[in-house]
């Protein structure tokens, strides 16, 4: 081919090919080879065959990738739309559609309903649908409400003396033995008051979950119009705040009822603790000990009688002194103390009532939050948004697209045109269509490691006699040097078939490009 000097002299390629052909024909070794082994046309045929194989292998994947890319680009263009309309009625229609999509997605996400619009928005944003389940988050908050109080025993830290002291503290000037209901309230009230703070926190947590959900939905739906997204999000947060205050007031009133008025219709409590009968059933009377036969004392002697008189006198003196020193202790001992079974019954009633109250609060507070906060926001959202945004002066301001949205639409249009042209080429060209169809029908072969051919010396000294070239073995083409002093090792091979023309192999298949290891033979060995 052309040397650097030929390139400088601007020698035509046709002339170079003619000179190359003449050089091979006049060479004393290469002119004896079969046709189709040397020269630039042979190299072109070989490279064409390699390119053909690569195209045949990757064409189905290319078609699949082009179709998937077209669908994703078209979906994004459908989401962006064809631009902001100028007519007022069309602007109202755009606003109405966006607000409706936003409200429907907000409601369906809370209720756990599958929403195709939501999935399409999230796919275009690169988000995962599982992370947007606002209803699941709200349900988790409600299920975890007061879960720490379910297994709590409020009397676990109370001793029997504490309960006995509380009973005697609230007797007042009434007859002892009849405990006042104030004793029960005095012991239960500090623990019931602990339910107020978690109830208010539950309202705050659910309202925060609604705020996060509204932000996510607004950024997904109103991505084209940031000003409208900001306005819609502000109004949504205002609605959530209003309903949050209302729900908090109602929840605080409900919890105040549970704390300030002790009452229950729970059948289990009324059955087990509605009377004093269980206390007496649990109290087992002690069995009397069997009588012990007394031995008849013997008649004491004179010395024993004297000793007993001395002991009786000492005992009388000691009792008189002890009575004088322990007047205060005796006064304390005279105070009444309630029996163990009665204290245990009070303990059981406190634990049972607290359990009933916790169960009732866990049911009533989430219901109030769900009705006055969650459901109320869903019902008011769409009406108030449409009423506030349906104004021509606001629409012209909020429906302005930012520059990056317009640039994105322009880029997507260009990408779609290129992909459509590529798909048309693969579909309309009969040759490529046939190749793609054949490649899809073929089973994919397992990857095999290509065989490494034996190294052939690049240059070899010419022997005095040139042996005849065998026609049977299949050989590869070696690099040809233009220097007469050095002769390359040349091997023979039939001319490969080319998709762009050329002489095909006699068997219809070119073994030169098979994956199997070719046989090589050096002409000068």
């Amino acid at each position: 081919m052309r040397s650097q000097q030929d390139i400088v002299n601007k020698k035509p390629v046709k002339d170079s090919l003619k000179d190359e052909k003449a050089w091979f024909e006049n060479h004393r070794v290469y002119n004896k080879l079969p046709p189709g082994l040397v020269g630039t046309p042979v190299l072109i045929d070989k490279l064409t065959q390699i390119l053909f194989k690569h195209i045949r292998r990757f064409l189905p994947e290319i078609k699949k990738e082009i179709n998937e890319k077209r669908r994703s680009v078209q979906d994004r263009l459908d989401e962006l739309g064809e631009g902001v309309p100028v007519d007022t009625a069309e602007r109202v229609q755009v606003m109405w559609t966006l607000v409706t999509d936003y409200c429907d997605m907000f409601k369906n996400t809370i209720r756990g309903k599958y929403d195709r619009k939501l999935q399409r928005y999230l796919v275009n944003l690169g988000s995962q649908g599982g992370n947007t389940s606002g209803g699941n988050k709200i349900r988790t908050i409600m299920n975890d409400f007061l879960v720490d109080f379910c297994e709590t025993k409020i009397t676990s830290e109370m001793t029997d003396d504490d309960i006995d002291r509380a009973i005697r503290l609230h007797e007042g000037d009434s007859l002892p033995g009849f405990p006042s209901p104030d004793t029960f309230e005095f012991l239960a009230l500090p623990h019931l008051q602990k339910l107020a703070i978690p109830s208010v926190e539950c309202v705050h947590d659910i309202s925060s979950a609604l705020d996060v959900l509204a932000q996510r939905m607004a950024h997904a739906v109103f991505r084209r119009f940031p000003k409208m997204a900001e306005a819609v999000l502000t109004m949504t947060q205002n609605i959530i705040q209003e309903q949050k205050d209302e729900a908090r007031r109602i929840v605080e009133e409900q919890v105040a009822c549970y704390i300030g008025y002790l009452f229950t219709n729970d059948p289990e409590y009324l059955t087990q603790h509605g009377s004093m009968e269980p206390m007496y059933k649990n109290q087992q009377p002690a069995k009397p000990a069997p009588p012990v036969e007394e031995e008849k004392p013997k008649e004491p002697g004179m010395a024993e009688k004297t000793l007993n008189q001395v002991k009786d006198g000492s005992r009388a003196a000691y009792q008189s002194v002890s009575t004088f020193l322990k007047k205060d202790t005796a006064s304390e001992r005279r105070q009444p103390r309630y029996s163990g079974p009665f204290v245990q019954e009070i303990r059981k009633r406190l634990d049972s009532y607290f359990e009933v109250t916790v169960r009732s609060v866990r049911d009533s507070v989430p219901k109030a939050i769900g009705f006055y906060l969650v459901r109320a926001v869903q019902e008011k959202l769409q009406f108030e948004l449409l009423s506030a945004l349906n104004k021509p002066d606001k629409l012209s301001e909020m429906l302005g697209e930012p520059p990056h949205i317009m640039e994105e639409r322009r880029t997507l249009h260009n990408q779609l045109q290129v992909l459509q042209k590529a798909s048309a080429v693969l579909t309309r060209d009969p040759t490529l269509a046939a190749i793609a169809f054949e490649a899809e029908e073929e089973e994919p072969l397992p990857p095999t490691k290509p065989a490494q051919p034996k190294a052939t010396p690049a240059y070899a000294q010419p022997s005095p006699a040139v042996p005849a070239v065998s026609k049977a073995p299949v050989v590869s083409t070696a690099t040809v040097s233009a220097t007469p002093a050095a002769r390359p090792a040349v091997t023979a091979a039939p001319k490969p078939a080319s998709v762009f023309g050329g002489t095909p192999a006699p068997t219809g298949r070119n073994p030169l490009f098979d994956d199997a290891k070719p046989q090589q033979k050096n002409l000068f060995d």
Side-chain angles (χ1 to χ4, degrees):
M1 286 298 290
R2 298 189 299 173
S3 63
Q4 183 63 37
Q5 187 62 35
D6 295 336
I7 296 174
V8 173
N9 297 335
K10 297 182 180 180
K11 182 179 180 179
V13 177
K14 291 183 179 181
D15 297 342
S16 300
L17 293 175
K18 291 178 181 179
D19 295 343
E20 181 188 70
K21 182 178 181 182
W23 186 84
F24 281 115
E25 290 176 351
N26 297 328
H27 197 275
R28 66 186 183 88
V29 177
Y30 299 140
N31 60 359
K32 296 180 178 62
L33 296 176
L37 293 180
V38 294
T40 302
V42 177
L43 180 61
I44 293 175
D45 291 338
K46 181 173 182 178
L47 296 178
T48 301
Q49 188 73 6
I50 293 174
L51 178 62
F52 174 81
K53 286 186 176 181
H54 279 282
I55 293 176
R56 183 184 182 90
R57 183 183 304 170
F58 294 105
L59 196 58
E61 297 181 3
I62 294 174
K63 288 181 62 177
K64 181 180 179 181
E65 185 177 354
I66 289 175
N67 292 332
E68 291 178 354
K69 188 66 176 176
R70 282 183 61 189
R71 284 194 294 268
S72 63
V73 171
Q74 188 62 49
D75 291 341
R76 179 57 183 159
L77 280 175
D78 294 341
E79 180 186 353
L80 294 179
E82 296 298 331
V84 182
V86 180
D87 189 27
T88 304
E90 295 179 354
R91 287 175 177 266
V92 172
Q93 183 64 33
V94 171
M95 182 272 299
W96 188 283
T97 302
L98 293 176
V99 172
T100 303
D101 290 346
Y102 169 75
C103 296
D104 290 343
M105 290 167 56
F106 188 84
K107 295 177 183 178
N108 293 336
T109 305
I110 293 177
R111 297 179 180 179
K113 183 179 179 181
Y114 180 78
D115 194 339
R116 294 182 179 180
K117 294 180 181 180
L118 174 62
Q119 300 302 321
R120 178 167 56 86
Y121 280 116
L122 295 178
V123 167
N124 292 329
L125 289 176
S127 302
Q128 298 293 331
N131 297 331
T132 61
S133 181
N136 186 21
K137 179 65 175 177
I138 293 173
R139 183 60 180 266
T140 302
I141 295 173
M142 290 182 176
N143 288 339
D144 294 341
F145 173 61
L146 295 183
V147 69
D148 297 335
F149 292 86
C150 293
E151 302 297 332
T152 302
K153 300 293 184 180
I154 64 175
T155 61
S156 59
E157 299 180 358
M158 297 182 187
T159 62
D160 292 347
D161 292 336
D162 295 335
I163 299 176
D164 181 82
R165 191 179 302 109
I167 295 174
R168 290 188 285 105
L169 180 65
H170 293 87
E171 283 179 347
D173 58 352
S174 60
L175 185 64
F178 298 93
S180 171
D182 296 333
T183 303
F184 192 85
E185 185 173 358
F186 171 77
L187 295 174
L189 188 60
H191 298 276
L192 295 176
Q193 289 175 347
K194 296 179 181 179
L195 305 179
I197 296 178
S199 302
V200 177
E201 289 180 351
C202 184
V203 179
H204 288 291
D205 293 341
I206 293 179
S207 65
S208 299
L210 293 176
D211 285 336
V212 173
L213 179 62
Q215 293 177 9
R216 192 172 299 159
M217 296 296 104
H219 292 159
V221 177
F222 301 100
R223 188 184 179 191
R224 291 178 58 190
F225 311 107
K227 292 184 178 179
M228 179 174 286
E230 184 178 356
V232 168
L233 185 58
T234 301
M235 285 186 284
T236 304
Q237 290 176 345
N238 292 336
I239 296 173
I240 293 175
Q241 183 63 36
E242 292 176 1
Q243 296 306 129
K244 171 186 173 182
D245 296 338
E246 179 69 14
R248 184 180 60 186
R249 182 185 63 82
I250 294 174
V251 166
E252 289 177 350
E253 291 178 356
Q254 284 188 352
V255 175
C257 295
Y258 287 108
I259 297 175
Y261 190 79
L262 304 184
F263 178 80
T264 182
N265 274 327
D266 185 71
E268 182 179 356
Y269 182 87
L270 296 179
T271 301
Q272 297 182 2
H273 308 288
S275 65
M276 302 298 290
E277 182 178 359
M279 182 184 69
Y280 292 106
K281 286 184 178 180
N282 295 332
Q283 187 178 5
Q284 298 292 337
K287 294 182 179 180
V292 180
E293 296 181 358
E294 297 181 357
E295 297 180 356
K296 295 181 179 180
K298 297 180 180 180
E299 187 69 22
M302 185 60 99
E304 293 179 359
K305 289 181 179 180
T306 305
L307 181 60
N308 289 335
Q309 290 178 0
V310 173
K311 288 181 179 181
D312 291 340
S314 301
R315 188 181 297 109
Y318 176 77
Q319 289 178 355
S320 62
V321 174
S322 299
T323 304
F324 177 76
L325 296 176
K326 296 182 179 180
K327 289 183 178 180
D328 296 335
T329 306
S331 61
E332 293 181 0
R333 191 181 296 112
R334 284 195 299 270
Q335 293 182 357
R337 180 178 178 85
Y338 290 91
S339 62
F342 189 82
V343 172
Q344 294 300 325
E345 180 64 22
I346 296 296
R347 185 186 297 274
K348 292 179 181 179
R349 293 187 181 190
L350 288 171
D351 292 335
S352 179
Y353 183 80
F354 186 76
E355 181 181 354
V356 171
T357 305
V358 169
R359 185 168 63 245
S360 301
V361 173
R362 290 196 71 202
D363 287 340
S364 60
V365 169
K367 288 180 180 179
I369 298 174
F371 181 76
Y372 291 101
L373 177 58
V374 181
R375 288 290 181 266
V377 170
Q378 297 179 39
E379 294 175 358
K380 292 184 178 181
L381 188 61
Q382 185 169 359
F383 176 76
E384 295 195 10
L385 288 179
L386 293 176
S387 301
L389 297 178
N390 193 11
K391 297 179 182 179
D393 54 344
K394 288 188 176 181
L395 287 179
S396 59
E397 179 183 357
M398 289 185 296
L399 290 180
E401 286 187 327
H404 72 276
I405 295 295
M406 295 185 288
E407 181 64 26
E408 182 182 2
R409 185 186 292 108
R410 188 182 304 108
T411 304
L412 291 174
H413 274 298
N414 296 335
Q415 290 181 3
L416 187 60
Q417 292 177 1
V418 173
L419 293 172
Q420 288 175 349
K421 291 180 181 179
S423 179
V425 169
L426 295 177
T427 305
R428 297 174 185 175
D429 192 301
T431 305
L432 292 177
I435 293 173
F437 179 75
E438 292 175 2
E440 291 175 357
E441 292 295 329
E442 290 180 355
E443 289 187 7
L445 297 176
T448 57
K449 184 177 181 181
Q452 300 293 335
K454 294 181 180 180
T456 304
Y459 299 96
Q461 295 296 332
S463 58
V466 179
V469 179
S470 176
K471 298 181 180 180
V474 179
V475 293
S476 60
T477 307
T479 307
V480 180
S481 174
T483 308
R487 298 284 189 252
V490 181
T491 55
K495 186 175 181 179
S498 173
V499 75
F500 299 103
T503 305
T507 59
R509 181 181 179 187
N510 186 6
L512 181 63
F513 309 108
D514 290 345
D515 294 335
K517 180 179 180 181
Q519 301 177 3
Q520 297 181 350
K521 183 177 181 181
N522 195 338
L523 296 178
F524 302 101
D525 291 342

